[in-house]
Structures are given as C-alpha cells and as structure tokens.
Amino acid sequence: MGEISPATPAPIGVGALWCVAATGLLSALLLGDGFGLNLLIVTVPAALAAYFAARDAGRRPRPWTLAWAAGGLALLAVPALRDAAWPTFLAVTSALALGSLALHGCRTWPGVVLGPFGLIGSLGSGLVWGARGVRRRAEGTRGRWAPVVRTVLVAVVLVVVFGALFASADAAFADLLGALIPDVSVADGPWRALLLVIGLVGALAAAHTAAAPLRWDRITVRPGTARGRAEWALPLIVLNLLFAVFIGVQLTVLFGGYDKVLHETDLTYSEYATQGFWQLLGATLLTLLVIGLARRWAPRDGAGDRTLVNAVLGVLCLLTLVVVASALRRMDLYVDAYGLTRLRVSVAAMELWLGLVIVLIMAAGVVGGRLLPRAVAASGALAVLVFGLLSPDALIAERNAERYRVSEKIDIDYLQELSADAVPALDALPEPLRSCALQGIERELGDADEPWYATSWSESRARDILDERPIDPRWDECSLIPRHGGAAPRASYDDGRAVDR
C-alpha cells in the first residue's frame, strides 16, 4: 500500500475563515427547521471555504473537480424540489460523496471507492487547523478587531431598529420580513448551538481536505496472477452458453409461450414475475463480480490475449444486458398485477443503473479503462439525481391511478403513506377515492407554516392543491374501499354527495 498521508496544510486564510464562520451561522439559523433550499444555501459558503483553502495551498481545480462539485450542488436541488424523505437521503448522501471526490481529486478505483470517506478523517484535524488559524490571525491583527466589531454592531442595531419601525408601519412589509427571517427562540438555543458546531466542523473539514487531501490514488492494487487461455476462458464460455440458453427460453416465453409455461408450472403471471425478478437482479450483480475477477486473472501476454479477453467478456456483457431487460420485464408484470411501490421502483431503478454500468464496462473494453472508475461514480450520481427529480412517489401515484382506471384495483392504505410529491396524481382520482387517498398526506402536512427555506416545491404545490380543492373524507365511504388493491367501489355524485352503485 502506498503512502496516503496528506502533506502539511498551508495556514488557513482569511477568506476561508470568513466562509467557515458563514457556514456555521447559516447552519444554526436555517437547518433547524428541516431540509429544503437551506441545504444548498449552507453548502455554498462551505464550498467557497474549500476553494480558498485549496488556492492558498497552491491547488488548482481540474475539470473533474469542477464536475464533481457541480454534481454535488445539483443533487442538493432534490430536497429543495421534492418532499419524499428517501430520495432526499440518497441525494444528500451522494452529494457528500461527490464533494469528497472533488476535494480529493481521485482517479483510480481505490480513490473513487475510499475518497467519499476522506472527510471523516479531517473532522478533528480540521478543527485544530482552524483554531490555530484563528489564534494566529487574532495575535497579528489585535488592533484591527475593535473597528470591525464596532462596525458590525452599529450595522446590526440600525437594521433591527429601522426594520422594527418599518414592520410596524406596514403589514405587508412585516409579513415579508417574517417570512424571510428565521424564527429563532431561546428554547431552540441548544439545538441551534449544536447546528452551529456541526456547520463549523464540517466546513473546516472540507477546507482542510482541500488544502491537504489524503492521497488515496497512491494505494496500489497488484494485478492477479495471469492464467492460461484455456484455464481462463473455458469457465466463462460455459457461463456464456448458460446465459444464451436462458435467454432463448425467455425469448420463447416472450413470443407467445407464456400460456404453455404457466400451464406447465401452475403459476400465474404475477407469480411468474415475482419468482424471477430477484434472482435475475442477483445474477446481474454476480456477473459484475465475475467480470471484475476475470479481468484480474485474465491472460495478458499480447494482442491475442487482449482480443480473447475482450471477446469473451464482451459477449458476457451483451448477454447480461438481455438478462437486465428480462428482469425489468418481470418487474413490469409484477407491477401490472400488484401496483407500483417504493421497493419495486427502487430495485427497478437499480437494475437500470446496473445495465448502464455494464455498458460502461463494454465501452472501457474498447477505448480503455482509465476513465471507468470516475465514469461509474458519475453514472451513480446521475442515477440518484434523475431518480430524485423524477419524483418516485409521484410515479407510484400515477401508475396506481392508471391501474385503477384499467382494473378498478387500488390500495388506498399504501397511497395514504406517500409524500406530498404524490398529491397532483392522486388529485385526479374520482371521489371518494381522492379524499380517502389524500387524507393521510394532508394529515402528515399538517397546518404548520414552515419557513420558505425548509419547504420543498412539491410540498408548497400540494398545500395549494389541497387549499383550492379541500378533501372531504367520510369514514363510511373510505371503509367500503377494499384494502390491499382490491376493486374499489364506483360512485356517482349529486351535489357533492357520493351514492354507491
């Protein structure tokens, strides 16, 4: 293993210190009310602190560094736009990983895999580094602190006094001021103080990493012992033949063989789909492992060996793509039978991303694998971004609403557990289904008037829809709807009252 310890960082500069202070202050003021646009607002000064620290250390941003940073900021748009917690968690986690990659500048597989964890090692050292910088600046500029403090205090007093006067003179200005300024109370003091510390420590860790990153790319991974052609190729050729036979059966079933297969196996369409999807997902993951190990032990004596390796693994990748398509088809059958859920849309998205990874591996076999680690990481981040922006809960609501229009089957209990992202699609359902489906979401939204920086666009839109068309769930009507996807009662309306028929 190579030496990965960072160099001694350059002293933290004034610009980085001010950005760290701004990050801590904004964290204390904005993050206590939930997640939304505030995450992006807090991240900007932290990113600037890292930029100033890297510049002071003589590091210059490279194209991939800028790409990772832009990707991380783009991922933080998900909590600002969507209400569901699970895409937000994936987006924030991925944004942290991309930010760490931007700070470390990793290129190899060890760097891309371990780089996202590099910030953890800078939490303590960054705090010590920042404290030393503050002490040094205070000792060298003791005579200049008093004018700065006086200026800040005078500005604060003027803003508070005249702001209070203008707010009392005009109700519209008071409402605008109340919406823009965070509501901070004495009772929130400990929580806000904790957020202040988290913001300061996090920003200092980012700045310290930018000034002196761990050198993950220096970790050397020795290639495996090369095998002979026959020893290496024969097992993979047998595996390719097995894949080909399986795909042949799938094509037979696809082109008119469902009835015969289902009759012989005594399975329904949904059971046939359920039985196969998870196994095919596992087969895709195992194939990626097989490809990685095969590359490690591949023969490499010359052009002939390279041609053999690319041919055998290329065929395996192509056949795996067909398996991916078969797995997605199984999931489509499953969704037709039982509806779309969060688990099903998540694993289907994962299968699609695995298919994309296989395509990237095939491209690396043609043009070289130097960019493959970063391409796989970028594809994963892009998949999380698209997954969040497409709004999975909205897709679930739309698909289940469409399923109801076709089969009159709907699972109201499950729809009530969705987030505000689903409200536009559920709003199109006929009554009483609409009110019964939306009552859980409306109850979760509550009457709380959250600040603008902690309210997602989906949540704001959902509140507008429910204010414009209030729901009117009646217990007797909702109780008549079969649970767990059964056929829902049809109802006609006269003056807003439902009459079952």
Side-chain angles (χ1 to χ4, degrees), residues 423-459:
V423 169
L426 298 180
D427 184 57
L429 287 172
E431 294 287 0
L433 296 178
R434 174 187 176 272
S435 292
C436 295
L438 290 175
Q439 64 175 339
I441 300 176
E442 185 187 51
R443 184 168 55 249
E444 189 68 23
L445 287 174
D447 298 326
D449 186 16
E450 296 180 349
W452 60 273
Y453 50 80
T455 303
S456 67
W457 177 72
S458 287
E459 183 179 346

Coordinates of all heavy atoms in Angstrom, one line a residue, residues 423-459:
V423 N -49.4 14.2 -4.5 CA -50.7 14.8 -4.4 C -51.2 15.2 -5.8 O -52.4 14.9 -6.1 CB -50.6 16.1 -3.6 CG1 -51.8 17.0 -3.7 CG2 -50.4 15.7 -2.1
P424 N -50.5 15.7 -6.8 CA -51.1 16.0 -8.1 C -51.7 14.8 -8.8 O -52.7 14.9 -9.4 CB -49.9 16.6 -8.9 CG -49.0 17.2 -7.8 CD -49.1 16.2 -6.7
A425 N -51.0 13.7 -8.7 CA -51.5 12.5 -9.4 C -52.8 12.0 -8.6 O -53.8 11.6 -9.3 CB -50.5 11.4 -9.4
L426 N -52.7 11.9 -7.3 CA -53.9 11.4 -6.5 C -55.1 12.4 -6.6 O -56.2 12.0 -6.5 CB -53.5 11.2 -5.1 CG -52.4 10.2 -4.8 CD1 -52.1 10.1 -3.3 CD2 -52.8 8.8 -5.4
D427 N -54.8 13.7 -6.9 CA -55.9 14.7 -7.0 C -56.8 14.4 -8.2 O -57.9 14.8 -8.3 CB -55.2 16.1 -7.2 CG -56.3 17.2 -7.2 OD1 -57.1 17.2 -6.3 OD2 -56.3 17.9 -8.2
A428 N -56.3 13.6 -9.2 CA -57.1 13.3 -10.4 C -58.0 12.1 -10.2 O -58.8 11.8 -11.0 CB -56.1 13.0 -11.6
L429 N -57.9 11.4 -9.0 CA -58.8 10.3 -8.8 C -60.2 10.7 -8.5 O -60.4 11.8 -8.0 CB -58.3 9.5 -7.5 CG -57.0 8.6 -7.6 CD1 -56.6 8.1 -6.3 CD2 -57.2 7.5 -8.6
P430 N -61.2 9.9 -8.9 CA -62.6 10.3 -8.6 C -62.9 10.1 -7.1 O -62.2 9.4 -6.4 CB -63.4 9.2 -9.4 CG -62.5 8.1 -9.5 CD -61.1 8.6 -9.6
E431 N -63.8 10.9 -6.6 CA -64.3 10.7 -5.3 C -65.1 9.4 -5.1 O -65.7 9.0 -6.1 CB -65.1 12.0 -4.8 CG -64.4 13.3 -4.8 CD -63.4 13.4 -3.6 OE1 -63.3 12.4 -2.8 OE2 -62.7 14.4 -3.5
P432 N -65.1 8.8 -4.0 CA -64.4 9.2 -2.7 C -62.9 8.8 -2.6 O -62.3 9.0 -1.6 CB -65.2 8.5 -1.7 CG -65.6 7.2 -2.3 CD -65.9 7.6 -3.8
L433 N -62.4 8.2 -3.7 CA -61.0 7.7 -3.7 C -60.1 8.8 -3.4 O -59.1 8.7 -2.7 CB -60.7 7.0 -5.0 CG -61.5 5.7 -5.3 CD1 -61.0 5.1 -6.6 CD2 -61.2 4.7 -4.2
R434 N -60.3 10.0 -4.1 CA -59.4 11.1 -3.9 C -59.3 11.5 -2.5 O -58.1 11.6 -2.0 CB -59.9 12.3 -4.8 CG -59.1 13.6 -4.6 CD -59.7 14.8 -5.3 NE -59.0 16.0 -5.0 CZ -59.2 16.8 -4.0 NH1 -60.2 16.5 -3.1 NH2 -58.5 17.9 -3.8
S435 N -60.4 11.8 -1.8 CA -60.3 12.2 -0.4 C -59.7 11.2 0.5 O -58.9 11.5 1.4 CB -61.7 12.6 0.1 OG -62.2 13.8 -0.6
C436 N -60.1 9.9 0.2 CA -59.6 8.8 1.1 C -58.1 8.7 0.9 O -57.4 8.4 1.9 CB -60.3 7.5 0.8 SG -62.1 7.5 1.2
A437 N -57.6 8.8 -0.3 CA -56.1 8.7 -0.6 C -55.4 9.9 0.0 O -54.2 9.7 0.4 CB -55.9 8.5 -2.1
L438 N -55.9 11.1 -0.1 CA -55.2 12.3 0.3 C -55.3 12.6 1.8 O -54.5 13.4 2.2 CB -55.7 13.5 -0.5 CG -55.4 13.5 -2.0 CD1 -56.1 14.7 -2.7 CD2 -53.9 13.6 -2.2
Q439 N -56.1 11.9 2.5 CA -56.3 12.3 3.9 C -55.0 12.0 4.7 O -54.7 12.8 5.6 CB -57.5 11.6 4.5 CG -57.4 10.1 4.6 CD -58.6 9.5 5.3 OE1 -59.3 10.2 6.1 NE2 -58.9 8.2 5.1
G440 N -54.3 10.9 4.4 CA -53.1 10.6 5.1 C -52.0 11.6 4.8 O -51.3 12.1 5.7
I441 N -51.9 12.1 3.6 CA -50.9 13.1 3.2 C -51.2 14.4 3.8 O -50.3 15.1 4.3 CB -50.8 13.1 1.6 CG1 -50.4 11.8 1.1 CG2 -49.8 14.2 1.2 CD1 -50.4 11.8 -0.4
E442 N -52.5 14.8 3.8 CA -52.9 16.1 4.4 C -52.6 16.1 5.9 O -52.1 17.1 6.4 CB -54.4 16.3 4.1 CG -54.8 17.7 4.6 CD -56.3 17.9 4.5 OE1 -57.0 17.0 5.0 OE2 -56.7 19.0 4.0
R443 N -52.9 14.9 6.5 CA -52.6 14.9 8.0 C -51.1 15.0 8.2 O -50.7 15.6 9.2 CB -53.1 13.5 8.5 CG -53.0 13.3 10.0 CD -53.8 12.2 10.5 NE -53.4 10.9 9.8 CZ -54.2 10.3 8.9 NH1 -55.4 10.8 8.7 NH2 -53.9 9.2 8.3
E444 N -50.3 14.4 7.4 CA -48.8 14.5 7.5 C -48.3 15.9 7.3 O -47.4 16.4 8.0 CB -48.1 13.5 6.5 CG -46.7 13.4 6.8 CD -46.3 12.6 8.1 OE1 -47.2 11.9 8.6 OE2 -45.2 12.9 8.6
L445 N -48.9 16.6 6.3 CA -48.5 18.0 6.1 C -48.9 18.9 7.2 O -48.1 19.8 7.6 CB -49.2 18.5 4.8 CG -48.7 18.0 3.5 CD1 -49.6 18.5 2.3 CD2 -47.3 18.4 3.2
G446 N -50.0 18.7 7.8 CA -50.5 19.4 9.0 C -50.7 20.9 8.6 O -50.8 21.3 7.5
D447 N -50.9 21.7 9.6 CA -51.1 23.1 9.4 C -49.9 24.0 9.7 O -50.0 25.2 9.7 CB -52.3 23.6 10.4 CG -53.6 22.9 10.1 OD1 -53.8 22.6 8.9 OD2 -54.3 22.6 11.1
A448 N -48.8 23.4 9.9 CA -47.5 24.1 10.2 C -47.1 25.0 9.0 O -47.1 24.6 7.9 CB -46.4 23.2 10.6
D449 N -46.8 26.2 9.3 CA -46.4 27.2 8.3 C -44.8 27.2 8.3 O -44.2 28.0 9.0 CB -47.0 28.6 8.6 CG -46.6 29.5 7.5 OD1 -46.3 29.1 6.4 OD2 -46.8 30.8 7.7
E450 N -44.2 26.3 7.6 CA -42.8 26.2 7.6 C -42.2 27.3 6.8 O -42.7 27.8 5.9 CB -42.4 24.8 7.0 CG -42.9 23.6 7.8 CD -42.4 22.3 7.2 OE1 -41.9 22.3 6.0 OE2 -42.6 21.3 7.8
P451 N -41.0 27.7 7.2 CA -40.3 28.8 6.5 C -40.0 28.4 5.1 O -39.9 27.2 4.7 CB -39.0 29.0 7.3 CG -38.8 27.8 8.1 CD -40.2 27.2 8.3
W452 N -39.8 29.4 4.2 CA -39.6 29.2 2.8 C -38.4 28.3 2.5 O -38.4 27.5 1.6 CB -39.4 30.5 2.1 CG -38.3 31.4 2.6 CD1 -38.3 32.2 3.6 CD2 -37.0 31.3 2.0 NE1 -37.0 32.8 3.8 CE2 -36.2 32.3 2.8 CE3 -36.3 30.7 1.0 CZ2 -34.9 32.5 2.6 CZ3 -35.0 30.9 0.7 CH2 -34.3 31.8 1.5
Y453 N -37.3 28.5 3.3 CA -36.1 27.8 3.0 C -36.1 26.3 3.4 O -35.2 25.5 3.1 CB -34.9 28.4 3.7 CG -35.1 28.7 5.2 CD1 -35.0 27.7 6.1 CD2 -35.5 30.0 5.6 CE1 -35.2 28.0 7.5 CE2 -35.7 30.3 7.0 CZ -35.6 29.2 7.9 OH -35.8 29.5 9.2
A454 N -37.1 25.9 4.2 CA -37.3 24.5 4.6 C -38.5 23.8 4.0 O -38.9 22.8 4.4 CB -37.3 24.4 6.1
T455 N -39.1 24.5 3.0 CA -40.3 23.9 2.4 C -40.0 23.6 0.9 O -39.5 24.4 0.2 CB -41.5 25.0 2.4 OG1 -41.7 25.3 3.7 CG2 -42.7 24.4 1.7
S456 N -40.2 22.3 0.5 CA -39.9 21.9 -0.8 C -41.0 22.4 -1.8 O -42.1 22.8 -1.4 CB -39.8 20.4 -0.9 OG -41.1 19.8 -0.7
W457 N -40.6 22.5 -3.0 CA -41.6 22.9 -4.1 C -42.8 22.0 -4.1 O -43.9 22.4 -4.3 CB -40.9 23.0 -5.4 CG -41.8 23.4 -6.5 CD1 -42.4 24.6 -6.8 CD2 -42.3 22.5 -7.6 NE1 -43.2 24.5 -7.9 CE2 -43.1 23.3 -8.4 CE3 -42.1 21.2 -7.9 CZ2 -43.8 22.7 -9.5 CZ3 -42.7 20.6 -9.0 CH2 -43.6 21.4 -9.8
S458 N -42.6 20.7 -4.0 CA -43.7 19.7 -4.0 C -44.6 19.9 -2.8 O -45.8 19.9 -3.0 CB -43.1 18.3 -4.0 OG -42.5 17.9 -5.2
E459 N -44.0 20.2 -1.7 CA -44.9 20.5 -0.5 C -45.7 21.7 -0.7 O -46.9 21.7 -0.3 CB -44.0 20.6 0.8 CG -44.8 20.7 2.0 CD -44.0 20.8 3.3 OE1 -42.8 20.5 3.2 OE2 -44.5 21.2 4.3

